[in-house]
Amino acid sequence: DVKVTQSSRYLVKRTGEKVFLECVQDMDHENMFWYRQDPGLGLRLIYFSYDVKMKEKGDIPEGYSVSREKKERFSLILESASTNQTSMYLCASSPLAGEANEQFFGPGTRLTVL
Amino acid sequence: GQNIDQPTEMTATEGAIVQINCTYQTSGFNGLFWYQQHAGEAPTFLSYNVLDGLEEKGRFSSFLSRSKGYSYLLLMELQMKDSASYLCAVRDGDYKLSFGAGTTVTVRA
């Protein structure tokens, strides 16, 4: 079974802090994604990566950056956390080849910025 | 931009059938996905349609009409454990998914 793990289930940070969210997948997937999920808005793509050291902006990249130094690990960085970044953050991975190439999601990190 | 619409909430009785509709207007189309998400948990993959027609998987089926920009997820013989949010997502290129806001289904005894 594909396993996607995230470093924390719950995180509380203060405005202005630098925040790191880590995601690790164990199925050698090429693609990795970071989403945020807010009530009434659904999942929105922040950044994705289709290879090591490669990254592309999603729909809402402002205020975020990412790092992919190793194939299995994809990090989301909030350079200076703000209260409007309080949200559920979901990481996902998918293979490059296959019929559906469905995305497999981690359990999520609920981040609260005070 | 991408526009994916689905109802916010639906309620049904145990043993019944529920149909969740999804309409989409996207810049491209390379498959439509349905995910199930229980409260506080990760979304899990349910189904994938890329060609028109019905895909059946046990109690769940998904239908696609590309010309109408329309899909539905059919949940049959509803069980209490089917109470969850159901997410419709469209892939418009090689990798990216655009999601609808999700439909919360409540199953009552």
Side-chain angles (χ1 to χ4, degrees):
Chain A
D1 278 353
V2 175
K3 193 162 185 183
V4 181
T5 56
Q6 295 183 228
S7 50
S8 307
R9 288 302 302 270
Y10 299 93
L11 209 53
V12 179
K13 295 291 182 182
R14 299 234 173 245
T15 302
E17 279 192 79
K18 191 168 186 175
V19 182
F20 293 86
L21 302 182
E22 305 285 340
C23 175
V24 177
Q25 50 95 4
D26 66 358
M27 282 302 290
D28 203 35
H29 284 170
E30 286 80 7
N31 303 323
M32 295 188 76
F33 307 83
W34 275 107
Y35 296 89
R36 63 178 284 176
Q37 185 175 29
D38 300 289
L41 297 177
L43 274 77
R44 292 180 291 165
L45 182 65
I46 304 171
Y47 267 97
F48 69 102
S49 168
Y50 52 88
D51 200 354
V52 175
K53 297 193 185 294
M54 304 302 291
K55 60 185 179 184
E56 286 204 21
K57 293 180 180 179
D59 300 316
I60 52 165
E62 297 77 20
Y64 303 94
S65 62
V66 290
S67 172
R68 190 153 181 215
E69 296 296 318
K70 293 184 177 181
K71 190 175 185 179
E72 67 271 18
R73 187 180 296 269
F74 193 35
S75 303
L76 181 69
I77 303 152
L78 287 66
E79 294 290 342
S80 177
S82 63
T83 54
N84 63 12
Q85 293 178 310
T86 291
S87 186
M88 170 68 85
Y89 289 87
L90 289 163
C91 175
S93 72
S94 71
L96 190 60
E99 184 181 348
N101 298 351
E102 68 267 27
Q103 294 183 17
F104 295 85
F105 286 84
T109 295
R110 186 165 291 283
L111 173 67
T112 302
V113 183
L114 302 176
Chain B
Q2 319 295 51
N3 191 25
I4 299 166
D5 290 318
Q6 50 182 130
T8 304
E9 294 180 335
M10 301 183 75
T11 301
T13 307
E14 202 173 9
I17 298 172
V18 69
Q19 178 175 315
I20 306 170
N21 296 324
C22 173
T23 58
Y24 64 90
Q25 289 177 304
T26 55
S27 54
F29 182 83
N30 187 22
L32 186 141
F33 296 77
W34 285 95
Y35 281 83
Q36 180 190 59
Q37 186 178 26
H38 286 100
E41 297 183 12
T44 55
F45 170 74
L46 283 179
S47 69
Y48 166 72
N49 295 71
V50 68
L51 299 176
D52 290 353
L54 189 68
E55 293 282 340
E56 296 178 85
K57 266 189 181 183
R59 294 189 298 114
F60 294 178
S61 300
S62 57
F63 172 83
L64 175 67
S65 169
R66 288 173 298 170
S67 62
K68 295 182 179 177
Y70 168 70
S71 172
Y72 67 74
L73 180 69
L74 198 65
L75 314 180
M76 294 175 284
E77 300 172 18
L78 277 174
Q79 301 176 10
M80 299 300 288
K81 67 179 181 180
D82 297 331
S83 291
S85 285
Y86 292 85
L87 314 179
C88 174
V90 173
R91 184 168 60 200
D92 62 1
D94 289 335
Y95 316 114
K96 288 175 57 177
L97 292 182
S98 295
F99 283 83
T103 300
T104 299
V105 172
T106 303
V107 181
R108 292 183 176 166

